């Protein structure tokens, strides 16, 4: 019997790694990978709570499906933005996109 | 699911997932990091299986480990001049601090809450059941509006990706380098 805390700790560790990647890294592709890591960590939480707490409804599983859908849409769009950034600035570092910086 | 095998599988898969996820940020080559991201997603799919979410596990393998990782590989290939150096970081200290703080908050909360008291029944994992029928009923029953909105979201993501990568100044499909080459060639002939 695995206690639910184990799943929460696992997902919070993955989420923290993803957060570090988003905040600290310069490569836009690695930042997108970190965002995917964070989304997947959240879906671990959803599924753990669905399995442990949620009676017969399994709403957490449906939420996890929507998380996967949104992640797919997001990565498709964001990689388009990365390609556009590369075409304009010849680099994939996010700090090259500083036109809005005052 | 009280069997020893599930518990062992949980700890092994957790170790694989955590180590691979940490290695993503330690490796120098971005392509290697993508391969490790696939390992992380596969480990997560295994964890979903230990949580008896079979359909989500298969969807995770198909969409995350299959499609999204291929998209990442394409993005790396299509940005050839960009550095593949993965080790470059700004603000590593604040990032580590905030990530560690959030992880600490979640872990403390996870141990602080009495999960058993939230439900009337004793807290335990249910045994392995077929979840596809339940998910189908939920998607086309109470969550049908969100289901339709998700389909519209996917449609607009498709359109948006096409619009984003199409160069408005360059409709005939040549790349910027070919365009520049054409210009210099014309300039040279003149």
């Amino acid at each position: 019997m695995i206690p639910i805390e184990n799943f929460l700790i696992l997902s919070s560790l993955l989420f923290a790694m993803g957060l570090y990647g988003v905040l600290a890294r310069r490569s836009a592709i690695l930042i997108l990978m970190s965002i995917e890591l964070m989304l997947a960590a959240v879906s671990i939480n959803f599924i753990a709570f669905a399995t442990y707490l949620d009676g017969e409804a399994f709403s957490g599983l449906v939420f996890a499906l929507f998380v996967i859908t949104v992640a797919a849409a997001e990565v498709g769009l964001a990689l388009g933005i990365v390609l556009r950034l590369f075409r304009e600035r010849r680099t994939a570092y996010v700090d090259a996109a500083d036109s809005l910086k005052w | 699911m009280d069997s020893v095998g599930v518990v062992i599988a949980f700890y092994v898969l957790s170790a694989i997932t955590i180590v691979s996820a940490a290695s993503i940020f330690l490796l120098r080559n971005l392509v290697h990091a993508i391969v490790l991201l696939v390992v992380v997603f596969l480990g997560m799919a295994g964890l979903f299986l230990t949580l008896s979410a079979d359909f989500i596990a298969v969807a995770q393998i198909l969409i995350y480990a299959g499609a999204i990782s291929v998209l990442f590989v394409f993005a790396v290939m299509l940005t050839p001049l960009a550095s593949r150096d993965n080790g470059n970081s700004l603000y590593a200290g604040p990032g580590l601090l905030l990530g560690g703080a959030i992880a600490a908050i979640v872990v403390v909360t996870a141990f602080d809450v009495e999960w058993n008291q939230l439900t009337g029944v004793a807290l335990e994992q249910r045994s392995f059941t077929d979840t596809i029928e339940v998910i189908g009923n939920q998607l086309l029953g109470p969550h049908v509006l969100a289901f339709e909105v998700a389909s519209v979201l996917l449609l607009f993501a498709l359109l948006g990706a096409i619009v984003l990568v199409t160069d408005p100044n360059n409709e005939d499909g040549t790349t910027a380098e070919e365009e520049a080459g054409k210009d210099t060639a014309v300039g040279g002939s003149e």
Side-chain angles (χ1 to χ4, degrees):
Chain A
M1 174 76 206
I2 308 161
I4 192 173
E5 286 88 353
N6 288 14
F7 284 101
L8 299 184
I9 292 167
L10 172 71
S11 74
S12 65
L13 281 179
L14 290 173
F15 187 88
M17 287 184 207
L19 188 64
Y20 162 74
V22 169
L23 289 177
R25 289 311 169 105
R26 290 176 70 204
S27 165
I29 295 172
L30 198 91
I31 287 176
L32 284 177
M33 287 163 64
S34 306
I35 293 174
E36 295 300 313
L37 203 58
M38 290 164 79
L39 286 170
V42 170
S43 67
I44 287 184
N45 262 2
F46 272 129
I47 293 174
F49 279 117
T51 310
Y52 278 88
L53 297 179
D54 188 27
E56 291 301 308
F58 283 117
S59 296
L61 299 187
V62 180
F63 266 92
L65 263 189
F66 284 127
V67 168
I68 291 176
T69 311
V70 171
E74 168 254 328
V75 77
L77 272 180
L79 289 177
I81 295 175
V82 171
L83 292 187
R84 199 61 195 258
L85 172 71
F86 176 74
R87 192 180 290 159
E88 303 288 337
R89 300 291 166 95
R90 315 306 291 171
T91 178
Y93 284 159
V94 281
D95 48 337
D98 54 358
S99 301
L100 285 176
K101 207 172 173 182
W102 189 44
Chain B
M1 293 230 280
D2 289 337
S3 72
V4 184
V6 173
V7 178
I8 294 174
F10 170 77
Y11 285 110
V12 171
L13 288 168
S14 306
I16 291 173
T17 309
I18 293 284
V19 170
S20 310
S23 309
I24 287 176
F25 302 105
L26 299 176
L27 283 183
R28 293 291 165 189
N29 193 328
L30 209 48
V31 180
H32 298 172
I34 292 171
V35 174
L36 275 179
L37 191 72
V38 173
V39 175
V40 171
F41 287 147
L42 290 178
M44 279 186 188
L47 287 169
F48 293 166
L49 280 182
T50 69
L51 282 167
S52 57
D54 50 353
F55 180 70
I56 307 289
V58 174
Q60 170 99 359
I61 293 175
L62 274 178
I63 297 173
Y64 272 111
I68 288 181
S69 57
V70 170
L71 270 181
F72 278 119
V73 172
F74 266 110
V76 171
M77 286 193 322
L78 290 173
T79 54
L81 293 179
S83 170
R84 296 198 183 165
D85 183 17
N86 185 8
N88 226 325
S89 57
L90 293 172
Y91 308 116
L96 273 179
L97 205 66
L98 194 55
I102 285 190
I105 288 172
V106 174
V107 168
V108 168
T109 311
F111 281 114
D112 198 39
V113 176
E114 292 290 331
W115 299 108
N116 280 307
Q117 292 174 2
L118 292 182
T119 53
V121 298
L123 179 63
E124 64 178 22
Q125 261 179 311
R126 281 188 295 281
S127 59
F128 202 95
T129 50
D130 194 10
T131 58
I132 298 176
E133 188 186 349
V134 186
I135 290 175
N137 284 331
Q138 288 269 318
L139 271 184
L140 294 180
H143 300 289
V144 65
L145 181 64
F147 182 70
E148 299 295 336
V149 171
S151 61
V152 175
L153 171 77
L154 283 175
L155 172 68
F156 277 93
L158 178 70
L159 291 177
I162 294 172
V163 170
L164 267 175
V165 297
T166 308
D167 197 345
N169 306 318
N170 187 9
E171 293 292 341
D172 55 352
T174 54
T175 62
E177 289 88 2
E178 290 168 15
E179 202 71 33
K182 221 188 300 177
D183 289 344
T184 53
V186 169
S189 66
E190 284 169 2

